[in-house]
Amino acid sequence: KNEVEQSPQNLTAQEGEFITINCSYSVGISALHWLQQHPGGGIVSLFMLSSGKKKHGRLIATINIQEKHSSLHITASHPRDSAVYICAVRSYNTDKLIFGTGTRLQVFP
Amino acid sequence: GAGVSQTPSNKVTEKGKYVELRCDPISGHTALYWYRQSLGQGPEFLIYFQGTGAADDSGLPNDRFFAVRPEGSVSTLKIQRTERGDSAVYLCASSLSSADTEAFFGQGTRLTVV
């Protein structure tokens, strides 16, 4: 079992839909990152969370430390949101980032 | 530039050759990470530097892989006797410290071993 699990692996949506991507982890963490990766592109950091909730534009990220779970929400989705979204946790013991396998999102007009 | 820079962006090499991949972190960032991402997979940890020293190299797959960061800034990932299975995107990230700080990623180097 991977230390960081994401669901769903693939997600398609119509423009305007509300989207949720989930991340569960099994290790102790000091922080959780949500990252975005476009095809052929590098990785962009969207959020870094250690507790609670953060919002940036149409993106919202929440984390529940007790349940070892985080969600990334996209409101009013747009085709330009199409990308791979990756959850990564920073291990409390080792400091290294452990990545999920990503969620491939496609938003159609 | 202000971001993490990786060179080359693409590298094609023959099986058995030696390659070097370079990462220029953001100035002042003491922590530097190398990851490898195969097609359809999430990034996989290779090695982490804190300053000049490798704090954790447990992700290096075998002794053909080696990385250095002699002055605590630029890092070079070195792969000897490349194999086709080494083909992947090699990502570098840096952060201000190893603690709860944001990691910034380079664009990656796509390595293809033919």
Side-chain angles (χ1 to χ4, degrees), chain A residues 34-61:
Chain A
W34 280 103
L35 310 166
Q36 181 191 55
Q37 186 173 35
H38 283 279
I43 293 177
V44 174
S45 178
L46 298 174
F47 294 103
M48 186 185 72
L49 295 165
S50 54
S51 66
K53 176 178 174 179
K54 285 189 176 179
K55 185 175 189 292
H56 184 247
R58 295 181 294 105
L59 302 178
I60 303 166

PDB file of all heavy atoms in Angstrom, chain A residues 34-61:
ATOM      1  N   TRP A  34      -0.242  20.413  -2.287  1.00  0.00           N
ATOM      2  CA  TRP A  34      -0.977  20.118  -3.507  1.00  0.00           C
ATOM      3  C   TRP A  34      -0.221  20.776  -4.657  1.00  0.00           C
ATOM      4  O   TRP A  34       0.110  21.973  -4.609  1.00  0.00           O
ATOM      5  CB  TRP A  34      -2.411  20.647  -3.440  1.00  0.00           C
ATOM      6  CG  TRP A  34      -3.329  19.756  -2.663  1.00  0.00           C
ATOM      7  CD1 TRP A  34      -3.798  19.941  -1.392  1.00  0.00           C
ATOM      8  CD2 TRP A  34      -3.903  18.526  -3.128  1.00  0.00           C
ATOM      9  NE1 TRP A  34      -4.621  18.904  -1.031  1.00  0.00           N
ATOM     10  CE2 TRP A  34      -4.703  18.020  -2.080  1.00  0.00           C
ATOM     11  CE3 TRP A  34      -3.834  17.792  -4.313  1.00  0.00           C
ATOM     12  CZ2 TRP A  34      -5.418  16.817  -2.183  1.00  0.00           C
ATOM     13  CZ3 TRP A  34      -4.536  16.613  -4.422  1.00  0.00           C
ATOM     14  CH2 TRP A  34      -5.318  16.144  -3.369  1.00  0.00           C
ATOM     15  N   LEU A  35       0.039  19.976  -5.683  1.00  0.00           N
ATOM     16  CA  LEU A  35       0.856  20.415  -6.806  1.00  0.00           C
ATOM     17  C   LEU A  35       0.070  20.217  -8.091  1.00  0.00           C
ATOM     18  O   LEU A  35      -0.799  19.345  -8.187  1.00  0.00           O
ATOM     19  CB  LEU A  35       2.148  19.589  -6.864  1.00  0.00           C
ATOM     20  CG  LEU A  35       2.937  19.487  -5.558  1.00  0.00           C
ATOM     21  CD1 LEU A  35       3.974  18.377  -5.663  1.00  0.00           C
ATOM     22  CD2 LEU A  35       3.590  20.805  -5.224  1.00  0.00           C
ATOM     23  N   GLN A  36       0.397  21.027  -9.089  1.00  0.00           N
ATOM     24  CA  GLN A  36      -0.247  20.916 -10.390  1.00  0.00           C
ATOM     25  C   GLN A  36       0.824  20.690 -11.448  1.00  0.00           C
ATOM     26  O   GLN A  36       1.860  21.370 -11.443  1.00  0.00           O
ATOM     27  CB  GLN A  36      -1.017  22.209 -10.701  1.00  0.00           C
ATOM     28  CG  GLN A  36      -1.762  22.212 -12.011  1.00  0.00           C
ATOM     29  CD  GLN A  36      -2.253  23.607 -12.360  1.00  0.00           C
ATOM     30  OE1 GLN A  36      -1.485  24.554 -12.416  1.00  0.00           O
ATOM     31  NE2 GLN A  36      -3.554  23.741 -12.595  1.00  0.00           N
ATOM     32  N   GLN A  37       0.563  19.747 -12.323  1.00  0.00           N
ATOM     33  CA  GLN A  37       1.522  19.440 -13.378  1.00  0.00           C
ATOM     34  C   GLN A  37       0.785  19.390 -14.720  1.00  0.00           C
ATOM     35  O   GLN A  37      -0.072  18.538 -14.926  1.00  0.00           O
ATOM     36  CB  GLN A  37       2.231  18.112 -13.106  1.00  0.00           C
ATOM     37  CG  GLN A  37       3.343  17.793 -14.077  1.00  0.00           C
ATOM     38  CD  GLN A  37       4.113  16.562 -13.680  1.00  0.00           C
ATOM     39  OE1 GLN A  37       3.560  15.610 -13.140  1.00  0.00           O
ATOM     40  NE2 GLN A  37       5.423  16.563 -13.932  1.00  0.00           N
ATOM     41  N   HIS A  38       1.152  20.315 -15.619  1.00  0.00           N
ATOM     42  CA  HIS A  38       0.574  20.311 -16.957  1.00  0.00           C
ATOM     43  C   HIS A  38       1.389  19.397 -17.852  1.00  0.00           C
ATOM     44  O   HIS A  38       2.585  19.199 -17.617  1.00  0.00           O
ATOM     45  CB  HIS A  38       0.541  21.729 -17.525  1.00  0.00           C
ATOM     46  CG  HIS A  38      -0.564  22.573 -16.953  1.00  0.00           C
ATOM     47  ND1 HIS A  38      -1.860  22.488 -17.402  1.00  0.00           N
ATOM     48  CD2 HIS A  38      -0.579  23.478 -15.961  1.00  0.00           C
ATOM     49  CE1 HIS A  38      -2.625  23.324 -16.720  1.00  0.00           C
ATOM     50  NE2 HIS A  38      -1.869  23.945 -15.830  1.00  0.00           N
ATOM     51  N   PRO A  39       0.779  18.833 -18.904  1.00  0.00           N
ATOM     52  CA  PRO A  39       1.507  17.934 -19.806  1.00  0.00           C
ATOM     53  C   PRO A  39       2.767  18.595 -20.345  1.00  0.00           C
ATOM     54  O   PRO A  39       2.724  19.717 -20.847  1.00  0.00           O
ATOM     55  CB  PRO A  39       0.494  17.658 -20.927  1.00  0.00           C
ATOM     56  CG  PRO A  39      -0.845  17.920 -20.320  1.00  0.00           C
ATOM     57  CD  PRO A  39      -0.620  19.004 -19.311  1.00  0.00           C
ATOM     58  N   GLY A  40       3.881  17.904 -20.211  1.00  0.00           N
ATOM     59  CA  GLY A  40       5.138  18.447 -20.711  1.00  0.00           C
ATOM     60  C   GLY A  40       5.697  19.586 -19.888  1.00  0.00           C
ATOM     61  O   GLY A  40       6.756  20.133 -20.200  1.00  0.00           O
ATOM     62  N   GLY A  41       5.015  19.932 -18.814  1.00  0.00           N
ATOM     63  CA  GLY A  41       5.449  21.076 -18.019  1.00  0.00           C
ATOM     64  C   GLY A  41       5.988  20.658 -16.676  1.00  0.00           C
ATOM     65  O   GLY A  41       5.932  19.500 -16.288  1.00  0.00           O
ATOM     66  N   GLY A  42       6.520  21.631 -15.981  1.00  0.00           N
ATOM     67  CA  GLY A  42       7.036  21.365 -14.655  1.00  0.00           C
ATOM     68  C   GLY A  42       5.908  21.336 -13.635  1.00  0.00           C
ATOM     69  O   GLY A  42       4.734  21.428 -13.965  1.00  0.00           O
ATOM     70  N   ILE A  43       6.283  21.223 -12.418  1.00  0.00           N
ATOM     71  CA  ILE A  43       5.324  21.143 -11.313  1.00  0.00           C
ATOM     72  C   ILE A  43       5.223  22.500 -10.645  1.00  0.00           C
ATOM     73  O   ILE A  43       6.236  23.150 -10.354  1.00  0.00           O
ATOM     74  CB  ILE A  43       5.778  20.077 -10.299  1.00  0.00           C
ATOM     75  CG1 ILE A  43       5.707  18.686 -10.946  1.00  0.00           C
ATOM     76  CG2 ILE A  43       4.941  20.134  -9.043  1.00  0.00           C
ATOM     77  CD1 ILE A  43       6.207  17.571 -10.051  1.00  0.00           C
ATOM     78  N   VAL A  44       3.993  22.892 -10.389  1.00  0.00           N
ATOM     79  CA  VAL A  44       3.734  24.159  -9.718  1.00  0.00           C
ATOM     80  C   VAL A  44       3.081  23.863  -8.373  1.00  0.00           C
ATOM     81  O   VAL A  44       2.149  23.059  -8.302  1.00  0.00           O
ATOM     82  CB  VAL A  44       2.798  25.049 -10.565  1.00  0.00           C
ATOM     83  CG1 VAL A  44       2.408  26.297  -9.798  1.00  0.00           C
ATOM     84  CG2 VAL A  44       3.465  25.419 -11.873  1.00  0.00           C
ATOM     85  N   SER A  45       3.571  24.494  -7.341  1.00  0.00           N
ATOM     86  CA  SER A  45       2.978  24.312  -6.024  1.00  0.00           C
ATOM     87  C   SER A  45       1.718  25.159  -5.914  1.00  0.00           C
ATOM     88  O   SER A  45       1.737  26.354  -6.175  1.00  0.00           O
ATOM     89  CB  SER A  45       3.981  24.713  -4.945  1.00  0.00           C
ATOM     90  OG  SER A  45       3.422  24.580  -3.675  1.00  0.00           O
ATOM     91  N   LEU A  46       0.604  24.520  -5.529  1.00  0.00           N
ATOM     92  CA  LEU A  46      -0.654  25.236  -5.350  1.00  0.00           C
ATOM     93  C   LEU A  46      -0.844  25.648  -3.892  1.00  0.00           C
ATOM     94  O   LEU A  46      -1.188  26.785  -3.597  1.00  0.00           O
ATOM     95  CB  LEU A  46      -1.827  24.353  -5.792  1.00  0.00           C
ATOM     96  CG  LEU A  46      -1.847  23.925  -7.261  1.00  0.00           C
ATOM     97  CD1 LEU A  46      -2.996  22.946  -7.495  1.00  0.00           C
ATOM     98  CD2 LEU A  46      -1.958  25.130  -8.171  1.00  0.00           C
ATOM     99  N   PHE A  47      -0.676  24.675  -3.002  1.00  0.00           N
ATOM    100  CA  PHE A  47      -0.875  24.933  -1.584  1.00  0.00           C
ATOM    101  C   PHE A  47       0.130  24.143  -0.766  1.00  0.00           C
ATOM    102  O   PHE A  47       0.556  23.060  -1.162  1.00  0.00           O
ATOM    103  CB  PHE A  47      -2.272  24.463  -1.116  1.00  0.00           C
ATOM    104  CG  PHE A  47      -3.428  25.215  -1.702  1.00  0.00           C
ATOM    105  CD1 PHE A  47      -4.180  24.657  -2.722  1.00  0.00           C
ATOM    106  CD2 PHE A  47      -3.787  26.463  -1.208  1.00  0.00           C
ATOM    107  CE1 PHE A  47      -5.252  25.344  -3.262  1.00  0.00           C
ATOM    108  CE2 PHE A  47      -4.865  27.151  -1.739  1.00  0.00           C
ATOM    109  CZ  PHE A  47      -5.593  26.585  -2.776  1.00  0.00           C
ATOM    110  N   MET A  48       0.448  24.683   0.398  1.00  0.00           N
ATOM    111  CA  MET A  48       1.115  23.920   1.435  1.00  0.00           C
ATOM    112  C   MET A  48       0.289  24.075   2.700  1.00  0.00           C
ATOM    113  O   MET A  48      -0.026  25.200   3.102  1.00  0.00           O
ATOM    114  CB  MET A  48       2.536  24.414   1.682  1.00  0.00           C
ATOM    115  CG  MET A  48       3.308  23.557   2.650  1.00  0.00           C
ATOM    116  SD  MET A  48       4.923  24.216   3.032  1.00  0.00           S
ATOM    117  CE  MET A  48       4.480  25.605   4.048  1.00  0.00           C
ATOM    118  N   LEU A  49      -0.102  22.955   3.291  1.00  0.00           N
ATOM    119  CA  LEU A  49      -1.000  22.971   4.440  1.00  0.00           C
ATOM    120  C   LEU A  49      -0.398  22.196   5.590  1.00  0.00           C
ATOM    121  O   LEU A  49       0.207  21.152   5.376  1.00  0.00           O
ATOM    122  CB  LEU A  49      -2.320  22.252   4.108  1.00  0.00           C
ATOM    123  CG  LEU A  49      -3.249  22.818   3.061  1.00  0.00           C
ATOM    124  CD1 LEU A  49      -4.253  21.740   2.671  1.00  0.00           C
ATOM    125  CD2 LEU A  49      -3.976  24.015   3.606  1.00  0.00           C
ATOM    126  N   SER A  50      -0.601  22.679   6.792  1.00  0.00           N
ATOM    127  CA  SER A  50      -0.318  21.851   7.959  1.00  0.00           C
ATOM    128  C   SER A  50      -1.558  21.712   8.830  1.00  0.00           C
ATOM    129  O   SER A  50      -1.600  20.869   9.729  1.00  0.00           O
ATOM    130  CB  SER A  50       0.847  22.407   8.770  1.00  0.00           C
ATOM    131  OG  SER A  50       0.604  23.750   9.092  1.00  0.00           O
ATOM    132  N   SER A  51      -2.562  22.536   8.577  1.00  0.00           N
ATOM    133  CA  SER A  51      -3.830  22.418   9.300  1.00  0.00           C
ATOM    134  C   SER A  51      -4.881  23.247   8.587  1.00  0.00           C
ATOM    135  O   SER A  51      -4.548  24.175   7.823  1.00  0.00           O
ATOM    136  CB  SER A  51      -3.688  22.888  10.745  1.00  0.00           C
ATOM    137  OG  SER A  51      -3.415  24.267  10.785  1.00  0.00           O
ATOM    138  N   GLY A  52      -6.155  22.932   8.836  1.00  0.00           N
ATOM    139  CA  GLY A  52      -7.247  23.800   8.421  1.00  0.00           C
ATOM    140  C   GLY A  52      -7.497  23.852   6.923  1.00  0.00           C
ATOM    141  O   GLY A  52      -7.612  22.828   6.259  1.00  0.00           O
ATOM    142  N   LYS A  53      -7.584  25.044   6.417  1.00  0.00           N
ATOM    143  CA  LYS A  53      -8.090  25.273   5.075  1.00  0.00           C
ATOM    144  C   LYS A  53      -7.371  26.470   4.464  1.00  0.00           C
ATOM    145  O   LYS A  53      -7.042  27.424   5.166  1.00  0.00           O
ATOM    146  CB  LYS A  53      -9.588  25.568   5.203  1.00  0.00           C
ATOM    147  CG  LYS A  53     -10.337  25.925   3.957  1.00  0.00           C
ATOM    148  CD  LYS A  53     -11.806  26.128   4.327  1.00  0.00           C
ATOM    149  CE  LYS A  53     -12.620  26.639   3.168  1.00  0.00           C
ATOM    150  NZ  LYS A  53     -14.050  26.799   3.530  1.00  0.00           N
ATOM    151  N   LYS A  54      -7.132  26.398   3.149  1.00  0.00           N
ATOM    152  CA  LYS A  54      -6.583  27.553   2.435  1.00  0.00           C
ATOM    153  C   LYS A  54      -7.362  27.738   1.149  1.00  0.00           C
ATOM    154  O   LYS A  54      -7.822  26.776   0.541  1.00  0.00           O
ATOM    155  CB  LYS A  54      -5.094  27.351   2.117  1.00  0.00           C
ATOM    156  CG  LYS A  54      -4.185  27.514   3.329  1.00  0.00           C
ATOM    157  CD  LYS A  54      -2.719  27.528   2.925  1.00  0.00           C
ATOM    158  CE  LYS A  54      -1.838  27.792   4.135  1.00  0.00           C
ATOM    159  NZ  LYS A  54      -0.389  27.789   3.782  1.00  0.00           N
ATOM    160  N   LYS A  55      -7.458  28.992   0.720  1.00  0.00           N
ATOM    161  CA  LYS A  55      -8.197  29.305  -0.502  1.00  0.00           C
ATOM    162  C   LYS A  55      -7.356  30.219  -1.356  1.00  0.00           C
ATOM    163  O   LYS A  55      -6.717  31.156  -0.866  1.00  0.00           O
ATOM    164  CB  LYS A  55      -9.528  29.986  -0.132  1.00  0.00           C
ATOM    165  CG  LYS A  55     -10.452  30.269  -1.310  1.00  0.00           C
ATOM    166  CD  LYS A  55     -11.780  30.837  -0.811  1.00  0.00           C
ATOM    167  CE  LYS A  55     -12.812  30.928  -1.916  1.00  0.00           C
ATOM    168  NZ  LYS A  55     -12.474  31.926  -2.939  1.00  0.00           N
ATOM    169  N   HIS A  56      -7.355  29.920  -2.659  1.00  0.00           N
ATOM    170  CA  HIS A  56      -6.663  30.796  -3.594  1.00  0.00           C
ATOM    171  C   HIS A  56      -7.458  30.812  -4.886  1.00  0.00           C
ATOM    172  O   HIS A  56      -7.470  29.839  -5.642  1.00  0.00           O
ATOM    173  CB  HIS A  56      -5.232  30.300  -3.851  1.00  0.00           C
ATOM    174  CG  HIS A  56      -4.447  31.221  -4.732  1.00  0.00           C
ATOM    175  ND1 HIS A  56      -4.037  30.865  -5.994  1.00  0.00           N
ATOM    176  CD2 HIS A  56      -4.011  32.485  -4.535  1.00  0.00           C
ATOM    177  CE1 HIS A  56      -3.384  31.887  -6.541  1.00  0.00           C
ATOM    178  NE2 HIS A  56      -3.345  32.870  -5.667  1.00  0.00           N
ATOM    179  N   GLY A  57      -8.172  31.925  -5.099  1.00  0.00           N
ATOM    180  CA  GLY A  57      -9.014  32.010  -6.283  1.00  0.00           C
ATOM    181  C   GLY A  57     -10.106  30.963  -6.230  1.00  0.00           C
ATOM    182  O   GLY A  57     -10.861  30.870  -5.253  1.00  0.00           O
ATOM    183  N   ARG A  58     -10.182  30.132  -7.272  1.00  0.00           N
ATOM    184  CA  ARG A  58     -11.207  29.080  -7.325  1.00  0.00           C
ATOM    185  C   ARG A  58     -10.762  27.782  -6.656  1.00  0.00           C
ATOM    186  O   ARG A  58     -11.491  26.792  -6.679  1.00  0.00           O
ATOM    187  CB  ARG A  58     -11.560  28.805  -8.791  1.00  0.00           C
ATOM    188  CG  ARG A  58     -12.224  30.003  -9.496  1.00  0.00           C
ATOM    189  CD  ARG A  58     -12.574  29.685 -10.938  1.00  0.00           C
ATOM    190  NE  ARG A  58     -11.393  29.474 -11.755  1.00  0.00           N
ATOM    191  CZ  ARG A  58     -10.968  28.284 -12.183  1.00  0.00           C
ATOM    192  NH1 ARG A  58     -11.640  27.182 -11.885  1.00  0.00           N
ATOM    193  NH2 ARG A  58      -9.891  28.192 -12.931  1.00  0.00           N
ATOM    194  N   LEU A  59      -9.594  27.771  -6.109  1.00  0.00           N
ATOM    195  CA  LEU A  59      -9.059  26.565  -5.482  1.00  0.00           C
ATOM    196  C   LEU A  59      -9.161  26.655  -3.965  1.00  0.00           C
ATOM    197  O   LEU A  59      -8.874  27.701  -3.373  1.00  0.00           O
ATOM    198  CB  LEU A  59      -7.590  26.367  -5.863  1.00  0.00           C
ATOM    199  CG  LEU A  59      -7.264  26.264  -7.356  1.00  0.00           C
ATOM    200  CD1 LEU A  59      -5.758  26.117  -7.539  1.00  0.00           C
ATOM    201  CD2 LEU A  59      -7.987  25.103  -7.976  1.00  0.00           C
ATOM    202  N   ILE A  60      -9.578  25.524  -3.376  1.00  0.00           N
ATOM    203  CA  ILE A  60      -9.665  25.426  -1.920  1.00  0.00           C
ATOM    204  C   ILE A  60      -9.016  24.120  -1.515  1.00  0.00           C
ATOM    205  O   ILE A  60      -9.279  23.078  -2.121  1.00  0.00           O
ATOM    206  CB  ILE A  60     -11.134  25.420  -1.446  1.00  0.00           C
ATOM    207  CG1 ILE A  60     -11.868  26.678  -1.930  1.00  0.00           C
ATOM    208  CG2 ILE A  60     -11.196  25.327   0.083  1.00  0.00           C
ATOM    209  CD1 ILE A  60     -13.377  26.577  -1.791  1.00  0.00           C
ATOM    210  N   ALA A  61      -8.163  24.155  -0.503  1.00  0.00           N
ATOM    211  CA  ALA A  61      -7.556  22.934   0.022  1.00  0.00           C
ATOM    212  C   ALA A  61      -7.851  22.835   1.502  1.00  0.00           C
ATOM    213  O   ALA A  61      -7.761  23.826   2.232  1.00  0.00           O
ATOM    214  CB  ALA A  61      -6.050  22.941  -0.222  1.00  0.00           C
TER     215      ALA A  61
END
